[in-house]
Amino acid sequence: MAAAAPGSASKHTFSSLLKQKPGRTSPPRSRGTMAISMRDVDPAFQGAGQKDGLEIWRIEKLQAVPVPRESHGNFFAGDSYIILKTTARKNGSFQHDIHYWLGKDTSQDESGTAAIKTVELDVALGGRGVQYREVQGNETEKFLSYFKPCIIPEEGGIASGFRHTEINEREHVTRLFVCRGKHTVHVKEVPFARSSLNHDDIFILDTKSKIFQFNGSNSSIQERAKALEVVQYLKDTNHEGKCDVAAVEDGKLMADADAGEFWGLFGGFAPLPRKTFSEPNGKDTAFPPKLLWVNKGQTVSVDYEVLTKALLDSTKCYILDCGSEIYVWMGRETALEDRKQAGLAAEELLREGDRPKSHIIRLMEGFETVIFRSKFNKWPKKAEAVVSDESRGKVAALLKRQGFNVKAVAKSAPVKEEPLPQIDCTGNLQVWRVNDSEKTFLSFSEQCKFYSGDCYIFQYSYPGDDGEECLIGTWFGKKSIEEERAAATSLANKMVESLKFQAVLVRLYEGKEPIEFFPIFQNLVIFKGGASTGYKKFVSENGIQDDTYSENGVALFRVQGSGPDNMQAIQVDAVAPSLNSSYCYILHDGDTVFTWIGNLSSSMDQELAERQLDVIKPNLQSRMLKEGSEYDQFWKILGIKSEYSSQKIARDPESDAHLFCCTFLKGKKVFIKFLASICLHYHSVCNVLICVFLLNWYSLWRTLG
């Protein structure tokens, strides 16, 4: 196929897609309405996004053509595709994630058309989707998670007439693939040569009669298990299920028959070098965000001292260039043509900067992601009403006149959801555990592991308006002792004093944490019992049974959270009533590990359970059990099978802070317990000012008494 790489061909063949038809005039804009016409939306998207699942279109002759369901996951390097992932929420509404995938050999005409058609699809869905640009070999984990176990693009494309039905008819070619990832597998074909191998990754060699899986010595058991799924996929796809499979361990010599055959294909065994080439991950360690306004397809730099939402105008489109990610923000009142131009301007920005590893993410005003909002200083907590009922009615009427089913638009109306954290998640975190009256620093691998019987102090530093901001907090476990709580409070106060009272001080209690707390720790695990010297001494002196977590014993964890950057695993009693159909659980008895999937849990819940497994039981493979299909061994570990709830566990509502006064009667110092809950909850790390008053009062109290 004589196709050019993205960015190498001319634009004139699809530029007409950006223009309105002759004689058409744009309707006058009114504040709060979407300046679009449904006549500009491709009819191929009629009825899209109205049920849970995947829908895929391939660009053929600059048109979007639906791909049959049985061909989902089959991609060609010479083509461009549009992928819509619709997720049905429990309240009946839909969430839409839109991706356009560009093969390494696709033409600029096709890639440009895919970018434009993606904007049209978003309009057809009511302008509420997030759009992602995917490039072959550099796909996002979100995109790859749709296709189990992986995607392996084939050569050719629609222009060359190369079809998937011909794959098994051609002569088999030996191919070498590298597999990376514990949760979502990135599979990439590499040159069939010894120099492609290394100790860190897993490689799959697909020959005519046998498939070899080469496990690098530094690879984990989770990575090997995922790679084995890829091996089975290749066996079923390329060999009709009829071929041998062999595993080759890095370091094994020719005495192993499979290893000898494997190395023979490379010309004989030879040790791999210790240091191997690793590809850059495409992430910039320091890239100051640049805000650009897109005006008639041209970018104009926006000067600012502080990046705030006030810089964004609803009648314009902007590009926020963050290096590894390029965000296209489209104002709610922009015309469809403006949105298309903004998308193409971002594509051009990538080509000019030669950044093949960067991703483009396009967002509509009012539906920004948490990561995008975190780039701004003090993004408003409460979003404005982005679409009025009148505007939604006009859009629905336009859709109906064009023959679209308007149910999806009605269902996609904004819904009240759990508030998302407004916090910069890229700061520096340090954590200490309190031991008696001292604090012990925790290593990076241990700082996300808390015990209910302990107290912790954390210091979180992040960039602010006038330099680095600092948050110092104490976290009290439910079963922590009073002496260590007092010690934690005193130690935290001293840390604030040492910073000349420039740090924000917060106090948090287990089970009462605000939503901003969890993204700081990201993958928090809360164990039973305690590891501090004070807790150990307390249970020993009082004859209390020590139920502190043991990695060699029986333990049950409930997994919860909203995403990979905000997840918690909480140890609960290892009995059947602790289960809940709305969650996923991890159960282990020593090295025997089960992952239990509740019938009411989501695919995101399952992904979080898999990720937390890496923290709780790294390098062990878990057996997945769906609710209702458990093994007898599972119930035996829990003691006995019994009833459990399917009601979602609700968090206690945040209470308002209370302030109590301190009075002195007859010259005697009387301490009135006050500020009881002022540090229990806080609503935004960026604007919290908890109390220089507290620190001053505390210092005065210590001086007087």
Side-chain angles (χ1 to χ4, degrees):
M1 172 179 168
S8 61
S10 63
K11 301 179 182 178
H12 71 278
T13 54
F14 66 89
S15 60
S16 59
L17 292 169
L18 297 175
K19 300 177 181 178
Q20 296 181 339
K21 295 181 179 179
R24 179 179 302 172
T25 57
S26 299
R29 301 182 188 180
S30 60
R31 189 74 180 171
T33 63
M34 293 186 292
I36 57 174
S37 171
M38 292 302 118
R39 289 173 293 181
D40 294 324
V41 174
D42 195 318
F45 301 136
Q46 180 175 353
Q50 297 188 39
K51 59 182 179 180
D52 192 275
L54 279 179
E55 295 172 79
I56 302 177
W57 296 263
R58 178 162 62 176
I59 303 302
E60 301 181 10
K61 298 180 180 179
L62 306 186
Q63 297 297 320
V65 177
V67 174
R69 184 172 297 275
E70 58 270 18
S71 296
H72 286 185
N74 298 330
F75 294 92
F76 292 90
D79 289 334
S80 296
Y81 297 80
I82 297 173
I83 299 90
L84 169 63
K85 178 65 167 70
T86 302
T87 304
R89 295 191 178 105
K90 294 179 181 179
N91 60 9
S93 64
F94 290 130
Q95 173 184 322
H96 296 119
D97 292 291
I98 309 171
H99 307 254
Y100 60 105
W101 184 89
L102 310 178
K104 63 181 179 64
D105 297 324
T106 192
S107 68
Q108 183 176 332
D109 293 344
E110 291 178 342
S111 63
T113 301
I116 292 171
K117 294 292 183 182
T118 300
V119 179
E120 295 181 16
L121 174 58
D122 184 46
V123 169
L125 297 170
R128 295 168 176 81
V130 179
Q131 305 164 41
Y132 304 86
R133 178 183 185 267
E134 311 285 351
V135 177
Q136 181 179 345
N138 189 42
E139 297 88 353
T140 62
E141 285 200 6
K142 177 187 282 288
F143 175 79
L144 292 175
S145 68
Y146 304 153
F147 306 98
K148 301 295 184 181
C150 64
I151 63 169
I152 302 179
E154 296 290 336
E155 295 298 320
I158 185 63
S160 64
F162 188 74
R163 300 283 182 171
H164 184 266
T165 54
E166 301 174 31
I167 292 175
N168 294 324
E169 298 174 4
R170 61 193 176 101
E171 183 179 354
H172 185 88
V173 177
T174 298
R175 304 169 72 186
L176 181 64
F177 302 94
V178 60
C179 297
R180 297 187 177 107
K182 298 179 181 179
H183 313 286
T184 303
V185 185
H186 293 254
V187 180
K188 180 180 179 181
E189 186 172 1
V190 294
F192 176 29
R194 184 196 310 277
S195 59
S196 296
L197 304 176
N198 62 55
H199 298 294
D200 299 324
D201 298 315
I202 296 175
F203 294 83
I204 296 174
L205 182 62
D206 184 10
T207 69
K208 185 175 183 179
S209 59
K210 183 181 286 189
I211 301 176
F212 297 88
Q213 176 175 322
F214 175 81
N215 298 320
S217 57
N218 297 331
S219 62
S220 68
I221 190 171
Q222 287 92 341
E223 291 173 314
R224 299 179 186 188
K226 287 294 182 181
L228 186 58
E229 295 178 11
V230 178
V231 169
Q232 187 62 46
Y233 171 79
L234 289 172
K235 180 179 178 180
D236 295 338
T237 304
N238 295 351
H239 302 269
E240 299 180 346
K242 300 175 183 178
C243 76
D244 295 330
V245 173
V248 178
E249 296 299 325
D250 184 12
K252 281 196 174 182
L253 301 180
M254 302 291 288
D256 186 295
D258 290 328
E261 185 179 356
F262 173 81
W263 287 111
L265 295 170
F266 289 91
F269 174 80
L272 299 177
R274 287 185 175 274
K275 292 185 178 181
T276 56
F277 173 78
S278 59
E279 294 182 349
N281 58 15
K283 293 187 178 181
D284 302 282
T285 55
F287 192 102
K290 298 178 182 178
L291 185 63
L292 306 170
W293 167 43
V294 183
N295 181 24
K296 297 180 180 179
Q298 302 298 317
T299 57
V300 180
S301 180
V302 178
D303 295 328
Y304 62 88
E305 293 183 359
V306 179
L307 189 60
T308 64
K309 185 181 182 297
L311 295 170
L312 305 179
D313 189 330
S314 297
T315 64
K316 299 176 181 178
C317 293
Y318 297 86
I319 293 176
L320 183 64
D321 186 358
C322 298
S324 58
E325 293 89 22
I326 295 178
Y327 296 92
V328 179
W329 185 89
M330 299 171 287
R332 177 55 59 179
E333 299 175 40
T334 54
L336 178 58
E337 180 183 351
D338 295 335
R339 301 177 194 178
K340 293 178 180 179
Q341 291 281 8
L344 292 180
E347 298 268 353
E348 191 65 28
L349 188 64
L350 273 188
R351 286 192 288 269
E352 292 176 352
D354 190 23
R355 295 182 292 179
K357 294 291 184 181
S358 297
H359 289 107
I360 294 178
I361 303 169
R362 301 191 295 207
L363 315 114
M364 183 61 65
E365 179 183 3
F367 297 90
E368 299 88 352
T369 62
V370 175
I371 296 178
F372 176 80
R373 295 197 298 262
S374 71
K375 308 293 183 183
F376 290 75
N377 181 62
K378 299 180 181 179
W379 187 279
K381 184 103 176 173
K382 294 183 179 180
E384 300 175 358
V386 295
V387 184
S388 65
D389 292 336
E390 178 185 3
S391 301
R392 192 175 296 112
K394 291 180 180 179
V395 173
L398 285 169
L399 286 168
K400 190 172 183 180
R401 284 200 296 272
Q402 295 298 319
F404 284 81
N405 188 326
V406 298
K407 291 182 180 179
V409 177
K411 284 187 176 182
S412 297
V415 294
K416 185 177 180 180
E417 298 178 346
E418 181 183 5
L420 295 171
Q422 308 291 325
I423 187 171
D424 186 331
C425 303
T426 61
N428 178 53
L429 175 66
Q430 298 180 79
V431 183
W432 296 264
R433 178 188 293 117
V434 176
N435 286 302
D436 285 334
S437 59
E438 303 295 330
K439 66 180 191 291
T440 303
F441 182 75
L442 299 183
S443 65
F444 176 79
S445 60
E446 296 296 318
Q447 66 182 14
C448 64
K449 300 176 181 179
F450 284 11
Y451 287 84
S452 286
D454 294 340
C455 297
Y456 296 84
I457 302 171
F458 62 92
Q459 178 173 321
Y460 184 68
S461 304
Y462 57 97
D465 296 347
D466 303 315
E468 188 175 70
E469 301 286 351
C470 184
L471 170 69
I472 293 177
T474 53
W475 183 92
F476 297 157
K478 289 180 178 179
K479 295 187 177 181
S480 59
I481 61 175
E482 288 296 333
E483 290 82 359
E484 289 191 335
R485 292 190 181 191
T489 301
S490 176
L491 291 168
N493 285 334
K494 290 179 180 179
M495 292 173 65
V496 174
E497 290 176 11
S498 68
L499 295 174
K500 298 180 180 179
F501 299 100
Q502 296 301 309
V504 174
L505 179 65
V506 295
R507 181 183 300 172
L508 307 172
Y509 290 83
E510 180 183 350
K512 304 285 187 178
E513 304 93 343
I515 193 172
E516 289 87 351
F517 172 76
F518 298 112
I520 294 177
F521 288 84
Q522 298 190 356
N523 54 341
L524 183 68
V525 182
I526 300 179
F527 298 105
K528 282 178 169 289
S532 68
T533 53
Y535 177 82
K536 295 295 185 183
K537 182 179 179 181
F538 176 81
V539 297
S540 175
E541 292 179 348
N542 291 273
I544 300 174
Q545 182 180 358
D546 190 355
D547 61 351
T548 299
Y549 169 76
S550 171
E551 61 180 14
N552 297 319
V554 175
L556 179 66
F557 296 87
R558 182 179 72 243
V559 180
Q560 59 192 42
S562 61
D565 294 331
N566 171 14
M567 53 182 176
Q568 308 95 52
I570 302 172
Q571 187 180 0
V572 295
D573 294 336
V575 293
S578 295
L579 299 175
N580 187 307
S581 301
S582 299
Y583 295 93
C584 295
Y585 291 78
I586 296 172
L587 173 67
H588 74 69
D589 183 2
D591 290 342
T592 301
V593 186
F594 295 98
T595 302
W596 187 83
I597 309 299
N599 287 335
L600 301 181
S601 64
S602 65
S603 58
M604 176 59 72
D605 296 328
Q606 298 173 30
E607 180 184 347
L608 298 186
E610 189 175 357
R611 290 177 181 271
Q612 285 288 38
L613 185 64
D614 289 344
V615 179
I616 298 171
K617 281 291 184 179
N619 300 322
L620 283 181
Q621 185 65 26
S622 172
R623 283 178 279 181
M624 183 178 294
L625 303 176
K626 291 189 176 181
E627 182 179 357
S629 60
E630 300 87 353
Y631 299 150
D632 291 339
Q633 183 184 8
F634 175 82
W635 295 117
K636 186 177 180 180
I637 294 175
L638 291 179
I640 188 174
K641 184 177 181 179
S642 58
E643 294 184 357
Y644 50 83
S645 174
S646 60
Q647 188 71 29
K648 197 86 170 179
I649 299 173
R651 288 174 54 85
D652 294 335
E654 295 186 3
S655 58
D656 294 332
H658 291 77
L659 178 65
F660 299 87
C661 67
C662 177
T663 59
F664 298 87
L665 301 176
K666 298 181 180 179
K668 294 182 179 181
K669 299 181 291 293
V670 181
F671 172 72
I672 305 297
K673 185 178 181 181
F674 78 110
L675 294 170
S677 60
I678 194 168
C679 295
L680 286 181
H681 304 293
Y682 61 104
H683 296 281
S684 174
V685 173
C686 298
N687 59 17
V688 172
L689 293 175
I690 300 177
C691 242
V692 172
F693 170 79
L694 169 61
L695 298 175
N696 290 338
W697 188 93
Y698 181 75
S699 298
L700 176 63
W701 176 61
R702 289 177 60 191
T703 301
L704 294 176

